[in-house]
């Protein structure tokens, strides 16, 4: 009789071939068999009953900022609270951004120093697996360090088209030249696409006491019309087309951006787009609420037609990934704005609610199928980020990373009952299905009966070689 360390039995398992009622046999950290009735003909040290539940691959959230010094404070989810929140949301892999900071003498930390700094944040704390995108913040310092980082096992790099005041901004020369190197190494550049100069001008025009008193946090939306994102995506797409280097647009929020990506993809340009859960559900009317400033993130939330176009893009394929851009700030941190929207710490919590939000508003509301959700949250991010063959599928030989969810049981989003350090939540009050009843990471149960039971520090750093549309 075959023996396994664990069998997950009787679940509706989302496999690459479709949804099947099957058992999953796990040996060590790997999936060893996926087969209907396996538990009837095999033995296991541990059996997890998934009857009446859906079993999907562990989710990959490939856009996360933990303990990030940003906007004059430090984001408040670290590798303890952040990875606990992730596990509760069925996330078994996250990718953070290692950012080389500009030092007091005006020089930049090296890419290697940034990676070391982020390794220190994660080591001994991470409950789930992780790696980092390496941010290029000072082109002249960093341009000769990319090959070394590829050698170290990093295959994704990141540039910001805004955030000059943080010392992170990249210009067209850096974008163009980095994409040339991405082509050379078969790696990928992630870009935060917003048009800095026009954005700065619009902010300057509106930054008056009278307008701030009148519009309050709504100024965040007023100063970021859709063309701010669209022009930047258009420009980045052009550099992608002429260099042939793999490009990934992070947190895309506009209908116009989605059209540009679709057109470029139809010409064979190696461009990929990600959106985030918040852009699929929330619109910019939130900024007019009394606590509207809490919702400020970059790019900001857009309008209902943008939301519809992003869902259509998920169905059509031009939007490949849904992530969170988790960058958590508490009410106290958000209060730093004191009526000036340019001083709001920008970002939202998200790791714990990614799967519930996409499952409830996407699958249950029939905007996407269950299989499409698994593509956007699991198999696509794994393949695109260079983790294909290991993460993102329920298949023999893959890591035994699983999220087991009830198809209908809903929980009201309540920050008091969550693992994130956020004392508010953008989805507060929403009734969501899809929180993980059980999360399994490399063959170990880390969430049981909706409670985190795994040990901090067990999460592993993931080495990668390549990245891009072809994986
Ligand atoms: O508002 C955001 N998105 N904060 C995190 C930094 C970024 O731009 O991704
Ligand atoms: Zn960004
Ligand atoms: Zn981000």
């Amino acid at each position: 009789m075959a023996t396994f360390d664990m069998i997950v039995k009787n679940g509706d398992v989302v496999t690459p071939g479709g949804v099947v009622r099957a058992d999953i046999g796990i040996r060590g950290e790997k999936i060893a068999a996926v087969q209907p009735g396996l538990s009837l003909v095999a033995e296991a040290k541990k059996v997890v009953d998934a009857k009446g539940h859906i079993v999907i691959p562990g989710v990959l959230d490939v856009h996360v900022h933990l303990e990030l010094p940003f906007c004059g404070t430090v984001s408040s989810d670290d590798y303890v609270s952040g990875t606990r929140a992730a596990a509760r949301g069925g996330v078994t892999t996250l990718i953070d951004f290692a950012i080389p900071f500009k030092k007091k003498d005006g020089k930049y930390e090296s890419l290697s120093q940034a990676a070391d700094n982020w390794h220190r944040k994660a080591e001994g704390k991470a409950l789930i697996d992780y790696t980092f995108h390496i941010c290029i913040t000072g082109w002249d310092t960093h341009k000769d360090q990319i090959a070394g980082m590829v050698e170290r096992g990093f295959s994704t790099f990141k540039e910001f088209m805004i955030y000059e005041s943080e010392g992170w901004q990249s210009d067209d020369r850096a974008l163009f030249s980095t994409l040339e190197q991405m082509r050379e190494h078969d790696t990928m550049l992630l870009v935060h696409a917003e048009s800095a100069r026009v954005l700065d001008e619009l902010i300057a025009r509106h930054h008056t006491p009278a307008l701030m008193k009148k519009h309050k946090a709504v100024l965040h939306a007023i100063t970021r019309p859709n063309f701010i994102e669209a022009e930047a995506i258009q420009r980045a797409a052009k550099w992608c087309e002429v260099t042939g280097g793999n490009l990934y647009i992070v947190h895309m929020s506009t209908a116009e951006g989605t059209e540009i990506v679709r057109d470029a993809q139809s010409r064979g340009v190696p461009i990929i787009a990600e959106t985030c859960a918040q852009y699929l559900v929330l619109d910019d009317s939130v900024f007019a609420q009394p606590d509207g400033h809490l919702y400020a993130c970059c790019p900001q939330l857009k309008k209902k037609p943008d939301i519809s176009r992003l869902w259509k893009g998920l169905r059509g394929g031009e939007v490949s990934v849904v992530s969170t851009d988790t960058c958590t700030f508490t009410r106290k941190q958000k209060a730093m704005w004191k009526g000036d929207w340019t001083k709001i710490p920008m970002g939202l919590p998200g790791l714990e609610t990614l799967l519930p939000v996409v499952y409830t508003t996407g699958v249950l509301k029939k905007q996407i199928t269950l299989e499409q959700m698994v593509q956007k949250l699991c198999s696509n991010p794994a393949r695109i980020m260079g983790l294909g063959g290991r993460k993102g599928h329920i298949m023999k030989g893959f890591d035994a990373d699983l999220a087991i969810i009830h198809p209908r049981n809903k929980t009201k989003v309540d920050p008091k009952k969550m693992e994130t350090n956020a004392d508010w939540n953008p989805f507060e009050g929403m009734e969501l299905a899809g929180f993980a009843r059980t999360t399994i990471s490399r063959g170990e149960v880390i969430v049981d009966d909706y409670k985190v039971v795994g040990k901090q520090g067990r999460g592993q750093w993931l080495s990668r070689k390549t990245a891009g549309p072809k994986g």
Side-chain angles (χ1 to χ4, degrees), residues 63-65 68 70 97 158 160 163 192 250-251 274 276 298 324-327:
H63 190 149
V64 175
H65 305 275
L68 174 67
F70 185 47
F97 294 80
K158 163 87 180 280
F160 299 90
Y163 299 140
H192 175 136
V250 297
H251 52 45
E274 157 202 278
C276 303
C298 299
T324 62
D325 194 9
T326 292
C327 190

Side-chain angles (χ1 to χ4, degrees), residues 111 136 139 142-151 154 157 159 177-178 181-182 185 187:
L111 300 185
I136 294 164
W139 175 246
H142 296 146
K143 62 184 176 197
D144 299 325
Q145 300 173 6
I146 293 172
M149 297 312 289
V150 178
E151 283 282 300
F154 294 99
F157 296 82
E159 285 174 357
S177 309
T178 308
Q181 290 205 36
M182 296 299 106
H185 297 297
T187 50

Side-chain angles (χ1 to χ4, degrees), residues 47-94:
V47 175
V48 174
D49 193 355
K51 190 161 188 263
H53 287 72
I54 299 167
V55 187
I56 67 167
V59 170
L60 291 91
D61 186 349
V62 298
H63 190 149
V64 175
H65 305 275
L66 296 177
E67 211 187 330
L68 174 67
F70 185 47
C71 298
T73 180
V74 179
S75 71
S76 69
D77 275 319
D78 65 2
Y79 273 83
V80 175
S81 65
T83 59
R84 289 175 74 83
R88 221 186 140 247
V91 176
T92 51
T93 302
L94 68 80

Side-chain angles (χ1 to χ4, degrees), residues 142-202:
H142 296 146
K143 62 184 176 197
D144 299 325
Q145 300 173 6
I146 293 172
M149 297 312 289
V150 178
E151 283 282 300
R152 264 187 80 171
F154 294 99
S155 62
T156 47
F157 296 82
K158 163 87 180 280
E159 285 174 357
F160 299 90
M161 292 171 83
I162 62 164
Y163 299 140
E164 187 173 25
S165 58
E166 301 282 351
W168 301 353
Q169 190 175 321
S170 288
D171 61 13
D172 285 354
R173 172 174 161 255
L175 290 166
F176 176 84
S177 309
T178 308
L179 283 163
E180 287 180 322
Q181 290 205 36
M182 296 299 106
R183 188 188 161 100
E184 191 184 320
H185 297 297
D186 203 11
T187 50
M188 184 168 71
L189 177 64
L190 283 67
V191 168
H192 175 136
E194 288 190 289
S195 200
R197 292 290 159 249
V198 178
L199 174 59
D200 288 347
E201 174 62 18
L202 294 183

